[in-house]
Amino acid sequence: MNRNLILSAFAVIVSMLLITSCSKDNTTTPDPTLGYLKLASGYAAGAATKVEIFAADSAFTGYNKFYIALTDSATGAYIENAQITLTPTMTMPMMSHSAPKENPSSTTAIDKLFPCSVSFIMASMSGTWTLNVNIQNLVNNKSGVATFTINVKDPSPAKMFSFVSLADNTTKIFVGFIPPAKPIVGINDFEFVVYKKQSMMMFPADSSLNVSFIPTMPTMGHSSPNNVNPIYIGNGHYKGKVNFTMTGLWRMSMTFNAGTTLSDSTHYFDFNF
C-alpha cells in the first residue's frame, strides 16, 4: 500500500478518536431543576449566595415540597454544603403568624438541591406570605438571609384541613395531604402531615394521634379492601396504604384519636385520578 495512503488513513483515525474523546469530555451535566417550577429567586447578600426556590407546582394551602438551589453569586457554581433555616410569615392588617415547616434535614445537598417544605395554613387573599431563607454558607463560612414573597392559593380539592381536638377542646390541629406522585390502580401510599398550633409562630409536629380511615368512591358507593391505617414515621409525617381499585374520585374519611379519646371524625381528603 502506498505510504501516503497509510499516513492519510492513520490521520483520519486519530482525528476520529480525538473528536470522540472531546465529545465525551464535553457532556453537559443534567440540570437538577429540570421539570420543576421556579417560585422565587434572590440573593442572601451576606452569604454571597444566590437563592432559588423550586417546586412541582405553584404554592397552595397545604403541604408544599420545596427544593432550594444555592449558587455562588460571583461564579454561578452550585453550593452543596449549607445550613438552611426557613421562616414563613403571614402578615395581615391586624396580626401576623407563621406556618409549619421542615428545614432541610442535611447540610449536604441532594443532586445539588436542598429538599424542604412549608405547610401554608391559609391562602394569600387575606394578607401576604413571606419566606425568609437563612443561609449559612459552609463553603465560605458566611451567612445571610434572602426574603421572598410567596403567592399561596387554595387548591381544589382541598389539601389541608384543621380542627380543634375534642380531647381537650383547646388544641388546634392542622393536617396536610401528600398525594401519591404517581397514583396507580392498586395499592398506593396514603401520607399526610400533622402539626399542632402551639402559638402564633410555633407549629410543631404532632406524633400523638392514632389515625384510621375509610376510602370510598362517593359517585359509586363502594369502598376497597386491603387498606392499612397510617402510623407516625417522624417529622410530622404519617403513612399508611390505600387501595384504589379503579380510577375516579376517592374520598378518605379520617378518624383521629388522642389515645382512646376521640379527637375528630368529621374531615376527609378527596383525591381524583
Side-chain angles (χ1 to χ4, degrees):
M1 183 181 290
N2 185 286
R3 183 172 180 275
N4 289 334
L5 289 176
I6 293 174
L7 291 175
S8 296
F10 179 75
V12 169
I13 292 171
V14 171
S15 297
M16 292 178 65
L17 289 173
L18 288 172
I19 291 171
T20 302
S21 175
C22 290
S23 175
K24 291 180 179 178
D25 291 342
N26 291 334
T27 301
T28 56
T29 302
D31 182 356
T33 66
L34 190 65
Y36 292 127
L37 174 69
K38 185 189 293 187
L39 299 184
S41 179
Y43 290 88
T49 302
K50 184 178 181 180
V51 183
E52 295 177 301
I53 302 175
F54 295 87
D57 204 347
S58 55
F60 56 86
T61 306
Y63 178 89
N64 292 256
K65 187 69 175 285
F66 289 159
Y67 301 88
I68 295 179
L70 305 180
T71 52
D72 187 283
S73 57
T75 67
Y78 277 100
I79 296 167
E80 300 187 60
N81 295 99
Q83 181 77 49
I84 300 176
T85 304
L86 307 178
T87 305
T89 303
M90 160 58 77
T91 303
M92 295 182 286
M94 300 298 292
M95 61 179 292
S96 63
H97 62 79
S98 188
K101 50 81 182 294
E102 290 179 78
N103 295 319
S105 60
S106 174
T107 57
T108 302
I110 300 174
D111 294 331
K112 303 184 184 303
L113 302 176
F114 293 87
C116 54
S117 77
V118 177
S119 293
F120 296 107
I121 61 176
M122 63 184 297
S124 295
M125 291 187 299
S126 300
T128 302
W129 279 107
T130 56
L131 180 61
N132 283 359
V133 182
N134 191 305
I135 305 295
Q136 183 180 355
N137 186 335
L138 299 180
V139 177
N140 60 18
N141 293 316
K142 295 181 179 180
S143 299
V145 179
T147 300
F148 305 101
T149 298
I150 306 293
N151 184 34
V152 179
K153 298 181 180 180
D154 281 327
S156 181
K159 294 182 181 179
M160 173 171 275
F161 58 73
S162 65
F163 59 86
V164 175
S165 174
L166 295 175
D168 60 12
N169 293 313
T170 300
T171 303
K172 189 167 187 178
I173 302 290
F174 291 87
V175 184
F177 182 37
I178 305 176
K182 296 179 179 179
I184 61 170
V185 173
I187 302 297
N188 295 262
D189 286 337
F190 178 39
E191 185 174 2
F192 52 89
V193 289
V194 179
Y195 302 97
K196 63 181 177 182
K197 179 183 176 183
Q198 190 175 82
S199 70
M200 296 295 283
M201 303 305 292
M202 299 291 291
F203 294 80
D206 191 306
S207 62
S208 67
L209 297 174
N210 297 316
V211 187
S212 60
F213 79 105
I214 298 175
T216 58
M217 295 197 80
T219 59
M220 303 292 289
H222 66 75
S223 183
S224 65
N226 304 320
N227 300 286
V228 179
N229 285 329
I231 60 172
Y232 186 71
I233 60 173
N235 295 323
H237 291 248
Y238 290 71
K239 184 182 285 190
K241 297 292 183 180
V242 58
N243 184 13
F244 297 138
T245 54
M246 61 185 294
T247 59
L249 175 65
W250 284 88
R251 175 165 295 172
M252 281 70 74
S253 298
M254 304 174 70
T255 298
F256 299 87
N257 287 284
T260 59
T261 304
L262 178 65
S263 185
D264 181 81
S265 61
T266 63
H267 289 86
Y268 58 84
F269 285 118
D270 283 345
F271 182 62
N272 199 351
F273 82 105

